[in-house]
């Protein structure tokens, strides 16, 4: 049978027994799916490469024979930046446009990889992980596209609440007397900065919650095999409000783990960068590239681990859907083989009357 | 009239001194102009409830011109903030510092002006000499009953009232914070046969007035006690009831008696003051001895430049700092920056002759920062800055530097703003690069600076990009758009991962000025009245950056030490006077000992630009091929045959160990011995012609310099240099000392035989990292 096309049983049974450290278990499970996170990493890396490659040609042609070798390895001086402002600006504008396309593709890739991860985790795939990954990605793609649209709507709503009229009325006007929203009228810069901190902090927190909601919604859709993103989304909000700690804590720890590793990688990156100079070779550059790829790998793993966490939490907190008994309507005599009558997806054993 | 009775003899003494000094400098120098002198005694009372100011002043005017005047013209600057029909607000489109003005208006009204016992209020008219705007009330004309003859002195008594504006353009109030400048009816400058120089207050212009002394008493609520700063010094504080009167004098009384190094008694041409109950007052001393040991090279260069005859020692100065509480920890940084300006500007242009300079850290949101007044200036800083960011260092150096260009050399800021702004811009960049080095660029996340910048922009910016990246999704058939992805400090920080994806970027103040100039290099000439530039951008470019770049390039023409001599000579000659462009040109040439009027004509009174480029073709001399003739009567023979005839056969001894089919050693080794042949083509694009140095560097580490003169550049737009020999050219560089900052494109000023193999990889890797993290974040939206 074609493994890719096989609709294996998704494990929807409730599993109340969670490991003590859900997020660690999720990371372990995800790390074990090496081909999957390699694939997920490669997809993103290819997109990034598409954006970066044109710049190699640009730098090669801009520097050729015009600058002393090594002079611009450490930094691009003001004179270079200015003299090349026109072509660099054109490149940047083009990169920005290309970046828009890449950003859209990235969101679609994100939806795809989410489906892939969920297929792998919910199915408890053994072997053929990559094929099941691609199967899941394509299977759930359009459902997760609807979730993406809902995510964008919710982010817009969040942004409006925190930066739009409600904020201006409730916080700026009522709390600080700034009817025109002019922070310059405040008595001190520190007060103004605190307000901005609060606003940005709320936006960041809200964004994190919305993205977590998105993860649970996708997990519910995959786990229950349902189609309605809206209904799954409402149920996910219910889950988050009903069990905020249990649902969000593992995701928070995952975020901490991701941020921690990125900070360490950033520190190493800074040290490597500081060694660059006129006599540097490509070795340092490739070392930085390798470091960056390792950081991306870690981020792919933690992204996958998000779905492992969501799958575990969903199984433990959410009752499986009651599914109709495919054998309820069937033909066949007692004691003998029985055949269902075209229920469910209609498997090859269905009998048409 | 406190102090006034004793003053006439001081004034006369100053007059005698200035006349004698003028005679001493006579003989082929610039036009001899003894400026007028105007002394003020002002008493003001401020009602901080209504934000009203009631003022009374005595003006003593000495006419040192050769013409009489039958009128006075006074500036009433605050009337620019009375309504949106003033010339100032029309020029700024009704906005001040980006804020559409709806309230907080200000005005000034002279209620009485007497000459002796004669009331002159009935002769008041508003004048509009620049644009004929009848709604503009910033120039008041008063007809005099009796003309003021040349050499005569007249005194006037003025009473006025004013509404203090909300501080949006350098002056006004913001809460309890008061910054009061251009606040009293101020005489314009009478220029004799040229008449009164008293322009309207435009959005692009600053100020111009005569030198003199100021004695000011300010009556404020008691909460301002000890928290007043002013031009000059605060002499004493006199409480009365729940109020306090602060007495100030500018220059300080002691300074008026102390002749400066050039033999003149110090004067000032304006008076500003500030008050804030929250000020933290600190003092930071400037001592020449503490600085000279740190910069011995500068001292040596200056002594050499000025012939060892100039007294370069500078007086000690007290830097008074008025800091906002939340910036109090930055007071030392402000102090050090001010001292840097006092040291370098004083070393190069002559000492700062006053005992004190006051640096003000203005209230948040007041828009009073970054402005200069005699012996007082406002800086401006923010929380969480570091010295590498050059904030507040840069603005402090710049504004303190204005004490020299504008404060001591009092150019007409309406008609020749570049004489102070451009000169100051040149000098502050020199100070910054010597004292503070390169500036490190930062990226702000929720106003918290992170070192480094993104190598490329994040997706978005255009309509399509914004749509695709979910930054702005217009909804069809509506004017509504979704904005799911917004700029927000912490979200952007997570998206960007600056510690992994950003690059360090450094800026040099001098190169930044070049960039600023080249942003708009040729729409206006530098020597243009400030209100006549095509727009505010042209004003900014030409008054500030282009002048600085042109001065810096002048160093490349005349040499650094002659340049210093020229500038010093000009600054000393025109101290406490009002120079114009030609005065500077003449004085500089005289001091530098070189005639560069052509440079000034081309660069200050023209809009020409120049770009020199270089191209090199180099190869080994090709192998000789063809038939050659030894002499006219000889036959042409092929080269091989000719060589056989001329050269006994030379053969390598047979290698008896070499295999039979091994390739024979080449008989022609001349390729590796052939001389190198190179053609260096230097091309001049543009109208300007400056003497150009071209440096050729060879693989044996030797160098050779050639010069392309102005005269040769007039003949052709290109220069071809042919070199041949055993040495290989490894680099050719135009203007190796990098002094010609006016070159519009320096990227074509060099040629190198080798190419950089690492840099393209390095920068592509950075851009790859940038995309990786941005796209990873974006992918997270989808799943």
């Amino acid at each position: 049978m074609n493994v890719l096309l096989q609709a294996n049983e998704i494990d929807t049974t409730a599993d109340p027994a969670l490991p003590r450290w859900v997020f660690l278990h999720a990371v372990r499970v995800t790390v074990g799916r090496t081909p999957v996170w390699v694939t997920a990493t490669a997809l993103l890396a290819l997109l990034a490469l598409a954006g970066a490659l044109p710049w190699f040609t640009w730098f090669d042609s801009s520097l050729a024979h015009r600058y002393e070798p090594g002079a611009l390895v450490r930094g691009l001086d003001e004179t270079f930046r200015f003299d090349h402002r026109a072509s660099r600006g054109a490149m940047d504008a083009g990169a920005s446009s290309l970046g828009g396309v890449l950003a859209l593709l990235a969101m679609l890739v994100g939806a795809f990889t989410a489906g892939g991860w969920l297929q792998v985790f919910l199915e408890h795939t053994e072997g053929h992980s990559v094929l099941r990954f691609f199967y899941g990605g394509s299977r759930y793609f359009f459902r997760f596209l609807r979730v993406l649209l809902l995510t964008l709507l919710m982010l817009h709503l969040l942004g409006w609440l925190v930066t739009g009229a409600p904020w201006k009325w409730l916080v700026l006007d009522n709390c600080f007397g700034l009817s025109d929203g002019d922070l310059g009228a405040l008595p001190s810069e520190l007060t103004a900065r605190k307000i901005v901190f609060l606003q940005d902090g709320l936006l960041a927190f809200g964004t994190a919650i919305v993205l977590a909601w998105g993860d649970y919604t996708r997990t519910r859709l995959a786990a229950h095999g349902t189609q309605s993103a809206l209904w799954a989304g409402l149920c996910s909000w219910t889950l988050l409000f009903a069990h905020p700690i249990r649902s969000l804590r593992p995701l928070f720890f995952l975020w901490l783990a991701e941020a921690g590793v990125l900070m360490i990688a950033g520190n190493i990156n800074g040290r490597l960068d500081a060694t660059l100079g006129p006599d540097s070779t490509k070795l340092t550059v490739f070392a930085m590239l390798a470091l960056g790829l390792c950081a991306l790998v870690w981020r792919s793993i933690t992204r996958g681990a998000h779905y492992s966490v969501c799958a575990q939490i969903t199984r433990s907190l959410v009752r499986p859907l009651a599914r109709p008994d495919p054998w309820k309507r069937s033909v066949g005599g007692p004691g003998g083989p029985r055949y269902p009558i075209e229920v469910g997806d209609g498997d090859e054993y269905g009998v048409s009357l | 009239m406190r102090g006034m009775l004793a003053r006439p003899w001081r004034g006369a003494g100053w007059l005698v001194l200035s006349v004698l000094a003028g005679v001493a400098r006579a003989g082929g120098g610039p036009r001899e102009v003894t400026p007028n002198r105007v002394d003020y005694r002002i008493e003001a009372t401020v009602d901080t409830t209504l934000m009203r100011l009631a003022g009374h002043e005595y003006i003593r005017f000495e006419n040192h011109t050769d013409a009489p005047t039958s009128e006075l013209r006074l500036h009433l600057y605050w009337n620019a903030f009375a309504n949106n029909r003033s010339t100032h607000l029309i020029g700024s489109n009704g906005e001040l510092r980006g804020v559409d003005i709806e309230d907080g208006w200000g005005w000034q009204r002279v209620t009485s002006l007497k000459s002796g016992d004669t009331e002159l209020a009935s002769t008041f008219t508003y004048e509009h000499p620049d644009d004929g705007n009848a709604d503009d009330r910033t120039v008041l004309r008063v007809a005099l009953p009796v003309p003021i003859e040349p050499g005569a002195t007249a005194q006037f008594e003025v009473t006025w009232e004013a509404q203090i504006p909300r501080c949006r353009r350098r002056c006004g109030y913001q809460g309890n914070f008061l910054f009061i400048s251009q606040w009293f009816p101020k005489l314009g400058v009478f220029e004799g046969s040229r008449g009164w120089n008293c322009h309207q207050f435009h959005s692009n212009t600053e100020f111009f007035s005569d030198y003199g002394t100021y004695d000011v008493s300010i009556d404020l609520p008691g909460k301002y006690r000890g928290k007043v700063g002013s031009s000059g010094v605060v002499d004493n504080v006199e409480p009365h009831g729940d109020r306090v009167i602060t007495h100030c004098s500018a220059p300080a009384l002691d300074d008026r008696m102390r002749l400066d190094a050039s033999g003149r008694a110090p004067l000032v041409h304006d008076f500003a003051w500030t008050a804030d109950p929250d000020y933290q007052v600190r003092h930071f001393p400037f001592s020449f001895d503490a600085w000279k040991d740190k910069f011995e090279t500068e001292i040596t260069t200056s002594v050499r430049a000025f012939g060892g005859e100039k007294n370069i020692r500078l007086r000690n100065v007290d830097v008074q700092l008025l800091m906002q509480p939340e910036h109090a920890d930055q007071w030392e940084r402000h102090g050090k920056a001010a001292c840097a300006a006092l040291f370098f500007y004083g070393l190069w242009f002559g000492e700062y002759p006053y005992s004190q300079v006051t640096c003000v850290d203005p209230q948040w949101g007041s828009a009073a920062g970054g402005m200069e007044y005699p012996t007082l200036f406002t800086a401006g800083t923010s929380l969480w800055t570091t010295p590498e960011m050059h904030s507040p260092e840069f603005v402090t150096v710049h504004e303190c530097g204005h004490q020299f260009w504008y404060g001591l050399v009092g150019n007409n800021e309406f008609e020749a703003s570049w004489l102070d702004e451009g000169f100051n811009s040149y000098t502050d960049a020199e100070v910054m690069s010597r004292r503070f080095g390169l500036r490190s660029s930062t990226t702000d996340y929720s106003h918290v600076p992170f070192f480094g910048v993104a190598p490329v922009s994040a997706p978005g910016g255009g309509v399509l990009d914004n749509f695709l990246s979910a930054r702005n999704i217009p909804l069809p058939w509506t004017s509504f758009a979704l904005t799911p992805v917004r700029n927000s400090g912490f979200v952007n920080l997570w998206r960007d991962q600056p510690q992994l994806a950003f690059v360090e970027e450094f800026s040099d103040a001098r190169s930044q000025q070049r960039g600023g100039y080249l942003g708009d290099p040729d729409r206006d000439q530098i020597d243009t009245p400030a209100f006549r530039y095509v727009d505010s951008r042209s004003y900014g470019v030409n008054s500030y950056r282009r002048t600085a770049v042109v001065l810096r390039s002048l160093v490349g023409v005349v040499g650094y030490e002659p340049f210093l001599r020229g500038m010093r000579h000009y600054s000393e000659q025109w101290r406490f006077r009002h120079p114009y462009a030609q005065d500077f040109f003449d004085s500089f040439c005289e001091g530098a000992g070189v005639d560069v009027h052509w440079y000034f004509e081309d660069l200050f009174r023209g809009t020409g630009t120049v770009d020199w480029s270089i191209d090199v073709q180099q190869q080994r001399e090709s192998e000789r091929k063809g038939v050659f003739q030894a002499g006219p009567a000889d036959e042409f023979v092929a080269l091989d045959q000719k060589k056989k005839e001329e050269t006994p056969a030379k053969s390598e001894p047979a290698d008896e160990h070499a295999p039979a089919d091994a390739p024979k050693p080449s008989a022609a080794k001349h390729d590796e011995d052939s001389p190198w042949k190179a053609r260096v083509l230097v091309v001049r694009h543009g109208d300007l012609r400056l003497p150009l140095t071209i440096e050729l560097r060879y693989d044996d580490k030797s160098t050779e310099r050639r010069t392309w003169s102005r005269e040769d550049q007039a003949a052709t737009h290109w220069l071809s240099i042919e070199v041949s020999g055993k040495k290989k050219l490894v680099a050719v560089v135009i203007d190796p000392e990098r002094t010609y900052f006016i070159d519009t494109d320096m990227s074509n000023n060099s040629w190198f035989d080798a190419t950089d193999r690492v840099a393209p990889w390095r920068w592509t890797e950075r851009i790859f990292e940038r995309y990786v993290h941005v796209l990873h974040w974006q992918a997270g939206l989808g799943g």
Side-chain angles (χ1 to χ4, degrees):
Chain A
M1 179 185 300
N2 191 326
V3 171
L4 184 63
L5 298 178
Q6 182 178 353
N8 286 347
E9 185 71 24
I10 295 294
D11 182 359
T12 60
T13 57
D15 181 7
L18 283 173
R20 181 177 164 78
W21 295 102
V22 175
F23 84 100
L24 278 179
H25 175 79
V27 171
R28 185 174 63 78
V29 164
T30 310
V31 168
R33 302 289 185 175
T34 308
V36 178
W37 54 255
V38 169
T39 306
T41 304
L43 285 172
L44 268 181
L46 282 172
L47 286 180
L49 197 62
L53 271 181
W55 285 96
F56 182 87
T57 310
W58 185 85
F59 275 105
D60 203 34
S61 61
S62 298
L63 297 175
H65 295 293
R66 287 297 183 192
Y67 294 90
E68 188 162 8
L72 296 177
V73 170
R74 181 80 177 90
L76 300 175
D77 64 22
E78 183 97 36
T79 304
F80 176 89
R81 297 199 303 267
F82 189 78
D83 287 333
H84 293 277
R85 68 196 181 286
S87 65
R88 201 166 171 225
M91 280 292 290
D92 208 41
S96 195
S97 299
L98 175 62
V101 174
L102 293 175
L104 177 63
L105 288 174
M107 286 190 282
L108 300 177
V109 163
F112 187 88
T113 55
W117 280 116
L118 284 166
Q119 182 70 36
V120 166
F121 288 134
L122 292 173
E123 191 182 78
H124 299 297
T125 309
E126 291 181 9
H128 306 291
S129 298
V130 175
L131 290 175
R132 302 310 291 167
F133 173 85
F134 278 104
Y135 170 72
S138 53
R139 180 182 182 186
Y140 298 115
F141 181 73
F142 287 103
R143 273 176 267 190
F144 289 2
L145 209 55
R146 295 196 286 277
V147 176
L148 168 61
L149 292 175
L150 286 176
T151 303
L152 295 180
L153 266 172
M154 267 183 285
L155 286 176
H156 171 80
L157 180 63
L158 171 71
W160 176 74
L161 283 171
V162 178
T163 66
W167 176 265
K168 285 178 182 146
W169 173 75
L170 186 63
V171 176
L172 296 183
D173 194 2
N174 277 284
C175 296
F176 294 98
L178 303 175
S179 56
D180 56 0
D182 179 15
L183 292 182
L186 289 168
S188 74
E189 185 187 359
L190 189 59
T191 308
R193 299 293 176 240
K194 284 178 182 171
I195 293 174
V196 171
F197 270 16
L198 176 65
Q199 186 177 45
D200 286 348
L202 284 173
L203 195 62
F205 180 74
T207 301
I209 298 295
V210 169
L211 295 182
W213 164 88
D215 292 344
Y216 275 105
T217 304
R218 284 181 282 270
T219 305
R220 185 182 283 263
L221 281 170
H224 293 174
T226 52
Q227 296 286 331
S228 173
L230 195 58
W231 180 249
L234 284 170
C235 295
S236 296
W237 278 122
T238 309
L239 173 70
L240 290 178
F241 281 122
H243 306 281
I245 304 294
R246 288 177 73 179
S247 59
L248 294 175
R249 183 174 54 192
L251 296 180
F252 174 69
F253 283 135
L254 270 180
W255 176 79
L256 278 181
E258 182 179 356
V261 169
L262 290 178
M263 282 178 62
I264 294 170
N267 189 272
I268 299 171
N269 177 79
R271 288 168 193 268
L272 284 173
D273 197 78
T275 65
L276 285 170
D279 299 323
S280 295
T281 64
K282 290 178 194 168
L283 197 60
T284 311
V285 176
F286 289 142
M288 292 173 70
L289 178 63
L291 180 69
L293 286 172
C294 290
L296 178 61
V297 161
W298 177 246
R299 298 192 85 180
S300 296
I301 289 171
T302 51
R303 190 94 277 275
H306 270 240
Y307 290 107
S308 176
V309 162
C310 292
Q312 293 176 66
I313 299 295
T314 300
R315 279 205 207 100
S316 82
L317 293 178
V318 179
R319 277 183 309 168
L321 280 183
R323 292 191 174 276
D325 182 357
W327 299 98
K328 189 171 179 183
R329 293 186 66 214
S330 60
V331 296
R338 301 183 73 80
Y339 302 93
I341 305 171
E342 290 190 356
V343 294
D345 291 337
D347 65 11
E348 60 193 55
Y349 300 109
V351 174
S352 170
L353 293 178
Chain B
M1 293 171 68
R2 181 183 68 82
M4 192 68 89
L5 289 175
R7 199 156 292 119
W9 72 266
R10 289 187 199 153
W14 180 88
L15 184 60
V16 168
L17 279 172
S18 63
V19 168
L20 286 175
V23 169
R25 287 190 295 276
R31 63 187 175 97
E32 291 296 332
V33 173
T34 303
N36 301 328
R37 172 163 170 162
V38 186
D39 297 329
Y40 292 83
R41 189 167 76 80
I42 306 173
E43 292 149 9
T45 302
V46 178
D47 177 352
T48 54
T49 307
L50 298 175
M51 283 301 167
R52 288 287 181 98
L53 184 148
H56 196 82
E57 66 180 3
Y58 297 89
I59 303 175
R60 181 171 172 277
F61 170 62
E62 295 176 13
N63 182 3
H64 296 156
T65 71
D66 55 1
T69 177
S70 304
E71 65 178 18
L72 297 178
R73 295 216 176 186
L74 298 104
H75 291 286
L76 297 177
Y77 286 110
W78 282 11
N79 286 341
F81 310 124
N83 53 62
N84 62 357
R85 291 292 185 266
S86 68
T87 294
H88 193 99
L89 279 185
I90 288 176
S92 64
N93 296 319
E95 292 179 358
L96 292 177
R97 298 234 169 164
V99 177
D100 203 16
I101 307 304
E102 299 284 341
D103 57 8
W105 307 101
W107 47 263
Q108 285 169 305
R109 188 167 79 97
V110 176
T111 54
S112 167
L113 193 151
K114 290 182 182 174
S115 172
D117 293 325
T118 308
E119 176 59 61
L120 302 175
S122 61
T123 71
F124 290 175
T125 56
Y126 287 112
E127 300 295 318
H128 325 99
D130 302 327
D131 62 5
N133 176 10
D135 287 323
D136 186 78
R137 307 294 168 95
T138 56
V139 177
L140 179 71
R141 178 185 176 277
V142 183
L144 298 176
V146 176
I148 306 174
E149 297 295 333
T153 298
Q155 299 194 50
F156 304 95
E157 185 180 342
V158 183
T159 306
W160 85 96
E161 57 188 25
Q163 175 69 46
I164 304 174
R166 166 91 184 272
C167 193
R168 293 195 183 95
R169 175 79 93 191
R170 306 182 183 126
C171 61
Y173 72 92
Q174 169 96 347
N176 287 324
F177 170 79
L178 297 169
F179 196 89
I180 307 298
S181 62
Q182 316 308 334
W183 58 289
F184 54 93
K186 194 196 306 185
L187 274 185
V189 178
F190 180 61
E191 295 185 320
S193 52
R194 287 184 66 192
W196 281 93
N197 193 305
C198 190
H199 290 282
Q200 293 163 253
F201 189 18
H202 301 260
S203 59
N204 280 347
T205 57
E206 294 190 1
F207 315 105
F208 183 43
S209 48
D210 274 319
Y211 284 93
T213 61
Y214 289 79
D215 295 286
V216 179
S217 301
I218 309 161
D219 186 336
L220 286 161
K223 64 185 174 184
Y224 291 98
R225 181 175 178 177
K227 301 299 178 99
V228 175
S230 74
S231 297
V233 296
V234 171
D235 291 318
N236 62 75
V237 173
E238 179 191 329
H240 69 109
D242 61 348
R243 297 182 69 87
V244 61
I245 300 177
T246 305
H247 299 281
C248 316
S249 57
L253 297 176
D254 289 340
D255 288 341
R256 297 180 198 185
M257 304 308 299
R258 177 187 181 276
L259 299 184
D260 72 0
S262 63
R264 301 183 184 89
L267 297 168
V268 294
H269 57 64
D270 196 5
F271 185 92
W273 61 274
T274 178
D276 188 343
D278 293 332
Y279 275 144
Q280 294 197 7
V281 184
R282 304 286 186 116
H283 293 268
F284 196 98
F286 167 71
S287 160
F288 176 72
D289 289 325
W291 279 77
K292 72 178 176 63
D293 294 332
K294 285 190 242 180
F295 295 95
E296 288 181 9
T297 311
E298 294 296 331
I299 299 287
T300 307
T301 305
S302 295
V303 168
R304 199 170 54 229
F306 304 137
E309 298 164 8
K310 296 286 182 182
N311 180 7
I312 61 166
R313 172 160 288 278
L314 308 174
R315 68 169 297 176
N316 293 342
V317 178
D318 171 43
V319 179
Q320 177 181 244
L321 300 141
L322 304 178
M323 304 295 298
Q324 295 296 322
E326 58 191 358
H327 301 145
D329 60 333
Q330 297 182 28
W331 72 276
E332 278 189 318
R333 290 175 59 192
H334 284 79
K336 286 176 183 173
C339 290
L342 291 171
F343 174 73
F344 284 102
Y345 282 71
L347 188 67
W348 294 330
F349 311 127
E351 91 172 349
Y352 176 82
Y354 313 102
S355 55
Q356 185 181 79
V357 65
T358 299
C359 172
V360 179
D361 173 32
Q363 161 92 342
W364 159 255
S366 65
M371 186 58 189
E372 71 278 2
Y373 309 89
T375 75
L376 177 144
F377 63 92
T378 59
T381 184
S382 58
L383 297 169
W384 312 310
T385 73
T386 65
E388 294 84 6
M389 294 161 62
H390 287 187
S391 172
E393 282 79 3
F394 176 75
V395 67
T396 305
V397 167
H398 180 85
E399 301 306 337
C400 189
H402 269 303
Q403 302 307 313
F404 295 80
W405 302 122
Y406 143 94
L408 294 175
V409 178
N411 60 294
N412 183 339
E413 290 193 299
F414 289 94
E415 297 181 11
S417 52
W418 55 275
L419 274 174
D420 69 302
E421 297 295 356
F423 284 29
N424 195 29
S425 296
Y426 162 80
T427 317
D428 68 38
E430 297 299 315
V431 174
M432 291 305 294
S433 75
R434 284 164 171 76
R435 173 67 183 86
F436 298 102
L438 298 175
R439 181 177 68 86
S440 191
S441 297
T442 57
T443 305
D444 280 354
Y445 295 103
S446 293
H447 300 288
V448 178
F450 281 74
F451 285 106
V453 297
V456 290
S457 310
V463 173
L464 184 60
D465 333 329
N466 283 338
F467 176 80
L468 293 174
S469 57
R471 299 180 78 81
N472 189 296
I473 306 172
L475 297 180
W477 305 295
T478 70
S479 59
F480 191 70
L482 296 180
T483 52
V485 175
R486 296 166 187 257
N487 274 328
S488 168
F490 300 138
V491 172
N492 287 359
L493 178 62
W494 183 249
R495 177 198 68 190
D496 291 343
Q497 296 296 324
Q499 77 283 8
L500 275 168
F502 276 21
V503 293
E504 278 193 304
E505 185 176 272
F506 298 98
S507 298
D508 164 33
R510 293 174 286 193
S511 300
Q512 277 197 310
Q513 285 170 346
R514 172 176 174 262
Y517 146 59
L518 291 176
D520 190 6
D522 56 8
R523 285 194 298 161
D524 281 314
Q525 61 189 32
I526 292 176
D527 189 17
T528 301
F531 52 91
R532 294 269 183 249
Y533 289 114
V534 60
D535 54 26
S536 59
R537 183 177 173 213
S538 181
Y539 160 76
V541 166
N542 285 289
S543 294
Y544 291 74
R545 296 160 216 127
R546 187 161 168 219
T547 303
V549 167
V550 167
L551 283 176
R552 193 161 287 118
S553 301
L554 178 58
V555 175
V557 174
V558 303
Y560 183 58
E561 288 174 20
F563 175 84
L564 276 184
R565 282 194 290 273
M567 295 299 290
R568 175 82 170 229
H569 182 68
Y570 162 69
S571 71
E572 286 182 338
Q573 200 166 48
W574 289 93
R575 182 171 275 219
F576 305 126
R577 296 165 73 188
H578 303 309
Y580 284 86
Q582 196 60 44
D583 300 319
F584 164 64
F585 300 153
D586 294 340
S587 188
F588 179 90
C589 292
E590 189 178 280
V594 58
D595 183 3
V596 284
H597 281 94
W598 60 267
Y599 185 88
F600 295 129
E601 281 304 311
D602 285 351
L603 278 297
F604 285 91
R605 290 177 171 159
T607 55
T609 58
V610 66
D611 170 29
W612 294 283
S613 67
I614 196 159
D615 207 0
V616 177
Q617 302 292 331
Q618 177 171 240
Q619 60 190 19
R620 283 197 186 272
E621 217 171 71
S622 55
E623 185 186 337
R624 298 177 82 199
K625 293 177 184 171
V627 292
F628 292 88
Q629 187 189 29
D634 297 324
E635 289 183 7
F636 281 92
V637 296
L639 184 61
D640 292 346
Q641 185 181 348
K642 187 173 164 54
K643 278 202 166 172
K644 279 178 191 167
E645 290 170 0
E646 290 177 351
T647 312
K650 269 190 195 173
S651 59
E652 296 284 323
D655 185 350
E656 51 200 31
H657 299 294
D661 58 352
K664 296 196 173 79
S666 169
K669 287 187 183 173
H670 61 274
D671 276 344
E672 294 170 7
D673 296 331
S674 296
W676 287 98
K677 208 170 146 186
R679 184 189 186 218
V680 178
L681 182 66
V682 185
V683 181
R684 177 177 65 88
H685 314 268
D687 306 317
L688 298 177
R689 292 177 289 120
L690 302 179
L692 187 67
T693 301
I694 303 139
E695 183 173 278
L696 293 83
R697 301 174 189 165
Y698 297 94
D699 59 354
D700 64 353
K701 309 280 190 251
S702 63
T703 60
E704 177 192 347
R705 287 197 172 191
R706 308 270 184 112
T707 301
W708 191 15
S709 67
R710 285 191 77 235
E711 293 69 32
D712 290 342
Q713 289 181 48
T716 61
H717 275 258
W718 54 268
L719 171 72
S720 179
I721 302 172
E722 314 269 345
V723 291
S724 63
K726 294 289 184 191
K727 298 187 294 187
K728 184 185 180 189
L729 262 182
V730 294
V732 183
V733 179
I734 290 174
D735 180 30
E737 271 83 38
R738 281 285 166 114
T739 53
Y740 285 157
F741 282 75
I742 56 167
D743 191 332
T744 59
D745 183 1
M746 286 182 170
S747 69
N748 53 17
N749 285 15
S750 311
W751 172 88
F752 294 88
D753 184 49
T755 59
D756 196 324
R757 299 287 178 204
V758 178
W761 286 100
R762 185 284 200 271
W763 293 107
T764 308
E765 183 273 333
R766 290 286 84 201
I767 293 170
F768 174 76
E769 291 299 332
R770 167 71 167 154
Y771 274 113
V772 152
H773 294 290
V774 169
L775 293 178
H776 183 273
W777 179 85
Q778 201 83 29
L781 297 178

